Amino acid sequence: MKTKLFIVDDHYMVIEGIRSMLEQEPQIDWLGYAYNAAACLSYLRTQTPDVILMDINLPDTSGIELCGEVLQRYPGVKVIGLSTFNQLSFISRMLDKGASGYLLKNASKAEILKAIETVMQRRQYLSLEASEMIKKNETADAPVLTRRETEVLQLIAEGMTNAEMAERLFVSTTTIDTHRKHLLAKFNVKNTAVLIRLATQMKFV
Amino acid sequence: MKTKLFIVDDHYMVIEGIRSMLEQEPQIDWLGYAYNAAACLSYLRTQTPDVILMDINLPDTSGIELCGEVLQRYPGVKVIGLSTFNQLSFISRMLDKGASGYLLKNASKAEILKAIETVMQRRQYLSLEASEMIKKNETADAPVLTRRETEVLQLIAEGMTNAEMAERLFVSTTTIDTHRKHLLAKFNVKNTAVLIRLATQMKFV
DNA sequence: CAAAAAATCCCCTAAAAACAGGAGAAGAAC
DNA sequence: GTTCTTCTCCTGTTTTTAGGGGATTTTTTG
């Protein structure tokens, strides 16, 4: 039984690298690739792969969003996140969205094959270097936000004041103020500037 | 006359992609690759390539530094920068260091070959999409900041208040206030939140 | 050198955000 | 059926930013 493999990555060189490594493998059925989230979703309407290798950074949506969307529509698909060293903070959110594993972009052919094999057995595959770094980062990094907090964070980043947000969300300004306090506390920062910088860097906005 | 080609990139998939695309080309002599700046410099002590494809992001030094160092020691070598879409701001600095060209990581085989050919003729090769985006970035979105404004912007993003920045930069708080006003005006935004979001997205911070 | 740009400083007022501390209600989780 | 989380709201005070002016002194640059 061949594994139907699909890639979503905006870098042709990466796609070509994976293709060159895996195309000749007997257990891999190379379905193709997409450069962005839209093309990926469009492809999935006609074909259903077994495994999708998905870059965290895409030109239109973030891989995190795309992962959530894909798994909501096609729960049977296994998604393996792809990332570079300095983006490990995103991985845990990708796993939260239901991804089955992740690889670093410097993975060898053997490691990619192992990852695909592992997730096909309904187990999780975490690249060694990356899971080590995640362990290290676990404490400090990306906070867990509630629905409302995420919403408020987004609106702050759009430039709205507490009064404007209160009106938009049909709550009191003091409520917004509370959400802000919680955001500052969760990100462990003391003002909006750093909050928005971190939130932007961590792709919350 | 074959072109001796060397790659510096920390992502195995990218190296494999380029190798797979170019190895069979008769005019290319595939010398090999390095994962980081140190390995690259070490390799250059034994061999001198004609063209180096160099990633902007490396684990040890930045590609920009490495580019400067390599060209200082081996002025005859042609360096072509490699980058992704969201790192265009680094390219101009790479060109300042003497790079002969740059490519985006989604470049096709034909484009890579054209770039190599072009720089071997002692001309500069700039990828189309990227030079367009650089042009865009120059005019519309990214404002031109003065030295002091950049400095203040950075400190705001670090979370400092006007008083703290004034102390750090040995000026009055009202001066900082003025720089802030200019920043808001230049970015055409009404508060710090949007300022920092845009500045982060545009890689000012 | 003259003109433009950048950096510096000042006034004032109003608005917004941060800090502190508490508290009730609804729903989910155990 | 209690505990935890989330969302909601409150009263205050203090700090920080934003907005609107204006002005002087260095640097750059044509």
Side-chain angles (χ1 to χ4, degrees):
Chain A
M1 180 65 185
K2 279 189 166 192
T3 300
K4 285 185 283 182
L5 182 67
F6 189 74
I7 319 275
V8 189
D9 196 304
D10 58 329
H11 299 130
Y12 182 64
M13 291 178 184
V14 173
I15 291 172
E16 179 61 24
I18 299 173
R19 194 194 59 70
S20 139
M21 286 192 267
L22 301 185
E23 206 176 36
Q24 301 305 319
E25 288 300 314
Q27 70 270 37
I28 300 295
D29 182 7
W30 174 264
L31 289 191
Y33 54 87
Y35 283 140
N36 52 50
C40 172
L41 290 171
S42 157
Y43 179 86
L44 292 180
R45 276 193 278 277
T46 65
Q47 295 270 332
T48 307
D50 299 313
V51 176
I52 302 180
L53 290 177
M54 189 181 288
D55 188 16
I56 303 269
N57 282 331
L58 293 175
D60 40 0
T61 328
S62 88
I64 296 159
E65 295 304 315
L66 178 61
C67 177
E69 201 154 338
V70 165
L71 287 170
Q72 200 175 357
R73 297 193 199 173
Y74 313 95
V77 175
K78 309 290 178 200
V79 174
I80 299 177
L82 277 181
S83 86
T84 58
F85 272 108
N86 45 24
Q87 298 167 319
L88 285 173
S89 54
F90 308 149
I91 304 284
S92 52
R93 278 188 284 152
M94 194 114 181
L95 293 177
D96 287 345
K97 293 274 183 187
S100 302
Y102 68 86
L103 285 173
L104 297 180
K105 280 202 180 173
N106 61 359
S108 65
K109 175 173 167 175
E111 186 171 14
I112 302 172
L113 286 173
K114 189 176 173 195
I116 293 171
E117 193 188 318
T118 306
V119 302
M120 282 304 284
Q121 291 166 0
R122 299 174 175 280
R123 290 187 292 129
Q124 191 177 59
Y125 184 88
L126 304 181
S127 117
L128 180 66
E129 302 104 304
S131 58
E132 266 173 15
M133 290 193 81
I134 262 196
K135 215 178 262 174
K136 257 192 255 165
N137 282 19
E138 231 168 39
T139 48
D141 238 5
V144 179
L145 303 184
T146 68
R147 196 194 98 257
R148 218 41 162 176
E149 283 161 0
T150 309
E151 218 164 349
V152 169
L153 177 57
Q154 228 101 43
L155 296 179
I156 295 172
E158 283 174 29
M160 294 178 83
T161 65
N162 290 350
E164 288 164 343
M165 289 186 266
E167 198 180 349
R168 165 80 79 93
L169 302 177
F170 305 110
V171 295
S172 152
T173 58
T174 64
T175 302
I176 302 292
D177 199 54
T178 306
H179 289 311
R180 269 188 112 118
K181 279 185 219 169
H182 292 159
L183 283 169
L184 292 177
K186 284 189 176 180
F187 277 87
N188 193 29
V189 296
K190 54 169 243 200
N191 63 30
T192 304
V194 194
L195 173 69
I196 294 300
R197 176 172 62 79
L198 292 180
T200 307
Q201 286 169 345
M202 294 174 178
K203 308 275 180 189
F204 279 100
V205 291
Chain B
M1 180 63 187
K2 279 189 166 193
T3 300
K4 286 185 281 183
L5 182 67
F6 189 75
I7 318 274
V8 190
D9 197 303
D10 59 327
H11 298 127
Y12 182 65
M13 292 178 183
V14 172
I15 291 172
E16 179 61 25
I18 298 173
R19 193 194 59 70
S20 140
M21 285 193 267
L22 302 185
E23 205 175 37
Q24 300 306 316
E25 287 301 313
Q27 69 269 38
I28 300 295
D29 183 7
W30 175 264
L31 290 191
Y33 55 86
Y35 282 140
N36 53 50
C40 172
L41 289 170
S42 157
Y43 179 85
L44 292 181
R45 277 193 277 277
T46 65
Q47 294 271 332
T48 307
D50 299 312
V51 175
I52 302 179
L53 290 177
M54 189 180 288
D55 188 15
I56 303 270
N57 283 331
L58 294 174
D60 42 0
T61 328
S62 89
I64 295 160
E65 296 304 313
L66 178 61
C67 176
E69 201 153 340
V70 165
L71 287 171
Q72 201 176 353
R73 296 193 199 175
Y74 314 94
V77 175
K78 309 291 178 198
V79 174
I80 298 177
L82 278 181
S83 87
T84 58
F85 271 107
N86 44 26
Q87 297 166 320
L88 287 174
S89 52
F90 305 150
I91 304 283
S92 50
R93 278 189 283 155
M94 194 116 180
L95 293 178
D96 287 346
K97 292 276 184 188
S100 302
Y102 69 86
L103 285 173
L104 297 180
K105 282 201 180 173
N106 60 359
S108 64
K109 175 174 167 175
E111 186 171 14
I112 301 172
L113 286 173
K114 190 176 172 192
I116 293 171
E117 194 187 318
T118 305
V119 301
M120 282 304 284
Q121 292 166 1
R122 300 174 174 280
R123 290 186 293 130
Q124 190 177 60
Y125 184 88
L126 304 180
S127 118
L128 179 66
E129 301 106 302
S131 57
E132 264 174 16
M133 289 192 81
I134 266 195
K135 213 178 267 176
K136 251 195 254 166
N137 273 24
E138 260 166 18
T139 53
D141 9 340
V144 179
L145 302 184
T146 69
R147 195 194 100 255
R148 218 41 163 175
E149 282 162 1
T150 310
E151 217 164 351
V152 169
L153 178 57
Q154 227 99 44
L155 296 179
I156 295 173
E158 282 174 29
M160 295 178 84
T161 66
N162 291 351
E164 288 165 342
M165 289 186 266
E167 198 180 350
R168 164 80 78 93
L169 301 178
F170 305 108
V171 295
S172 152
T173 57
T174 62
T175 303
I176 303 292
D177 199 56
T178 305
H179 289 310
R180 268 187 113 119
K181 280 182 210 170
H182 292 158
L183 283 168
L184 292 178
K186 284 189 174 180
F187 278 86
N188 193 29
V189 297
K190 53 168 239 191
N191 62 31
T192 303
V194 194
L195 173 69
I196 294 300
R197 176 172 61 79
L198 292 180
T200 307
Q201 287 169 344
M202 293 174 180
K203 308 278 176 189
F204 279 98
V205 291

